[in-house]
Amino acid sequence: MKNKKLWIVAAVVAAAAVATWLLTGSKKDSSVSLETVRVSRQDLRTSITATGTIEPVTSVTVGTQVSGIVSRLYVDYNSVVKRGQVIAELDKTNLTSELKTAQANLSSAQSTLDYENANYKRYQTLHEKGLVSADEFESARLSYLKAREQVNTARESVQKAQTNLGYATITSPIDGVVLSKSVEEGQTVAASFNTPELFKIARDLTDMRVIADIDEADIGGVKEGQRVVFTVDAFPDDTFEGQVTQVRQEATTESNVVTYEVVISAPNSDLKLKPGLTANVTIYTMEKTGVLVVPSKALRFMPTELMLAEGETISDVEAQQKVWTKQGKTFTAHKVETGMTNGVMTEVVSGIDEEQEVLVDFQMAGDADADKGQQASNPFMPRPRGNRNNQQKK
């Protein structure tokens, strides 16, 4: 029993010695490598990205209100047109015939009115002398009124026929450039239900815009006047600039994804931007220039006892936001007030001075021989091939 107790005491002492060596000896053999960053002034930006389509600011679809055969086309794609310029004509044969018919009906109605007017005046005179009955007089008066209304109706028919004939001559409603042409000479257009599209004219290709689809998670940060840069695949080396001019309230849902349209100005003085190009858009939702910044991970740094060498101490403060510096053998916390952040860098409003070194990270580096010993003693580590061969030979 005495021998057994002696063995137990010896085992306890050996375990305590091993634990002491692990806690003290390994710490002495290890070293702490601190990573610091100098507080500096930088431009801080937050942005969101999206895609959009380039289109003219003002474009007009030109159609026709009458049916007929396209007899003449005076413009083609990319033609420059002026307001009021004739760009197409429809065949006017039927329209001219309708106008002549309406004019003939008007002439006939006018003749009938002249006769009924004279008849009405004659009956009026006879009625005043008591030579005709009141019923005959009223009948003549009613015929006169009907004839007068028929003249008005025929006159409106003439006006309508003249207007339709005028519609056969199609003119440009604005100054601009023809973007598309949907008909050819000899083609029949029918305006029975919908106004057929003949041309699409853009007012000014030097003034374009981008319609970008912004995700619902990002739309809250988008405001009018924000700076925008974008690129197009047609000119990958060029960067174009604009600004947000409108944030539309209507939402679009597609495949359960909700987006909102944002209109972005796109000056195009060199005419590189073409309607329909896809734009890769970056909207700067917040920008500050020349502000003090620190890496965001500096605000998450916290020294621990394991990092302390002999004689080093920690001077902490109570604060939600703080950064750490090391002066001599003391880790010192500084309470700071932060501003905007882009996730990587954070603005520091107060609490730290420019050019100060702040701690952002640390690494524990152990003795190389100890590492080798740990690897050799670890049964789960792969062994060198040479040792395996020697063991097989044995």
Side-chain angles (χ1 to χ4, degrees):
M1 289 295 291
K2 290 183 179 180
N3 291 337
K4 186 175 182 180
K5 290 181 179 179
L6 290 175
W7 280 108
I8 293 173
V9 171
V12 172
V13 172
V18 172
T20 303
W21 179 84
L22 290 174
L23 294 176
T24 60
S26 61
K27 183 177 179 180
K28 291 179 180 178
D29 292 338
S30 65
S31 61
V32 178
S33 176
L34 297 174
E35 181 182 348
T36 62
V37 171
R38 191 182 302 274
V39 180
S40 61
R41 292 189 177 275
Q42 297 181 17
D43 296 340
L44 200 59
R45 300 183 177 91
T46 59
S47 63
I48 60 175
T49 58
T51 58
T53 303
I54 295 175
E55 63 180 38
V57 173
T58 303
S59 61
V60 178
T61 299
V62 181
T64 174
Q65 291 183 291
V66 294
S67 302
I69 299 174
V70 179
S71 61
R72 295 293 301 274
L73 291 178
Y74 298 102
V75 295
D76 204 344
Y77 292 93
N78 300 334
S79 297
V80 178
V81 295
K82 298 294 183 180
R83 181 175 182 177
Q85 177 182 337
V86 177
I87 57 178
E89 286 184 344
L90 302 181
D91 181 64
K92 301 179 181 179
T93 303
N94 291 336
L95 297 174
T96 302
S97 176
E98 291 176 0
L99 175 60
K100 291 180 178 180
T101 300
Q103 290 173 337
N105 291 336
L106 175 60
S107 179
S108 176
Q110 186 64 49
S111 299
T112 302
L113 176 61
D114 293 341
Y115 168 77
E116 294 296 341
N117 184 32
N119 190 50
Y120 167 65
K121 289 181 179 180
R122 183 170 60 252
Y123 269 86
Q124 185 178 20
T125 303
L126 295 174
H127 177 67
E128 291 174 354
K129 294 179 179 181
L131 299 177
V132 293
S133 64
D135 182 64
E136 292 175 325
F137 169 70
E138 289 298 329
S139 177
R141 179 174 176 274
L142 179 60
S143 297
Y144 163 70
L145 293 177
K146 287 183 177 180
R148 190 172 66 179
E149 292 301 323
Q150 288 176 352
V151 169
N152 293 334
T153 301
R155 187 176 289 113
E156 291 297 327
S157 298
V158 171
Q159 182 65 38
K160 180 179 179 180
Q162 289 176 338
T163 301
N164 288 339
L165 183 60
Y167 286 152
T169 301
I170 300 165
T171 59
S172 173
I174 60 172
D175 297 341
V177 178
V178 177
L179 296 182
S180 65
K181 182 184 69 171
S182 304
V183 293
E184 297 292 342
E185 290 186 3
Q187 183 174 339
T188 300
V189 292
S192 301
F193 302 101
N194 299 317
T195 301
E197 178 181 329
L198 304 183
F199 304 95
K200 187 175 183 179
I201 300 176
R203 182 188 296 276
D204 185 7
L205 292 182
T206 62
D207 185 19
M208 306 287 279
R209 66 181 180 182
V210 179
I211 306 298
D213 295 324
I214 307 299
D215 190 83
E216 61 177 326
D218 299 324
I219 194 63
V222 180
K223 303 290 187 297
E224 292 184 8
Q226 290 174 340
R227 187 171 71 92
V228 180
V229 297
F230 62 92
T231 60
V232 294
D233 293 340
F235 303 97
D237 297 329
D238 294 339
T239 300
F240 304 89
E241 292 195 6
Q243 67 176 13
V244 177
T245 59
Q246 186 182 49
V247 180
R248 294 178 177 173
Q249 301 297 326
E250 183 181 8
T252 301
T253 303
E254 185 175 351
S255 300
N256 294 327
V257 177
V258 179
T259 58
Y260 292 84
E261 288 187 345
V262 172
V263 182
I264 301 165
S265 64
N268 189 32
S269 57
D270 53 5
L271 298 180
K272 284 186 175 181
L273 299 176
K274 302 182 183 301
L277 288 178
T278 299
N280 303 305
V281 176
T282 300
I283 303 175
Y284 292 101
T285 56
M286 190 176 296
E287 291 186 282
K288 287 188 177 181
T289 59
V291 295
L292 285 179
V293 296
V294 297
S296 298
K297 63 180 181 179
L299 299 168
R300 301 188 294 269
F301 178 85
M302 177 65 70
T304 63
E305 293 293 336
L306 292 176
M307 296 171 51
L308 299 181
E310 185 176 353
E312 293 182 341
T313 60
I314 296 176
S315 176
D316 201 353
V317 293
E318 291 293 334
Q320 291 184 347
Q321 298 286 350
K322 55 188 173 182
V323 295
W324 291 84
T325 62
K326 185 180 181 184
Q327 299 175 348
K329 292 188 176 184
T330 303
F331 291 86
T332 305
H334 302 265
K335 180 181 179 180
V336 295
E337 180 184 354
T338 59
M340 66 171 288
T341 179
N342 61 4
V344 179
M345 306 296 290
T346 300
E347 176 191 5
V348 177
V349 179
S350 63
I352 197 74
D353 296 328
E354 188 176 358
E355 299 298 326
Q356 281 191 266
E357 298 278 350
V358 297
L359 300 171
V360 295
D361 203 356
F362 73 95
Q363 291 183 350
M364 302 291 292
D367 183 72
D369 294 335
D371 293 340
K372 292 180 180 179
Q374 291 176 1
Q375 292 179 3
S377 62
N378 188 347
F380 298 102
M381 292 292 293
R383 298 181 180 275
R385 181 173 297 179
N387 294 341
R388 186 185 303 152
N389 293 336
N390 292 336
Q391 292 175 358
Q392 290 176 354
K393 290 179 181 180
K394 291 180 180 180

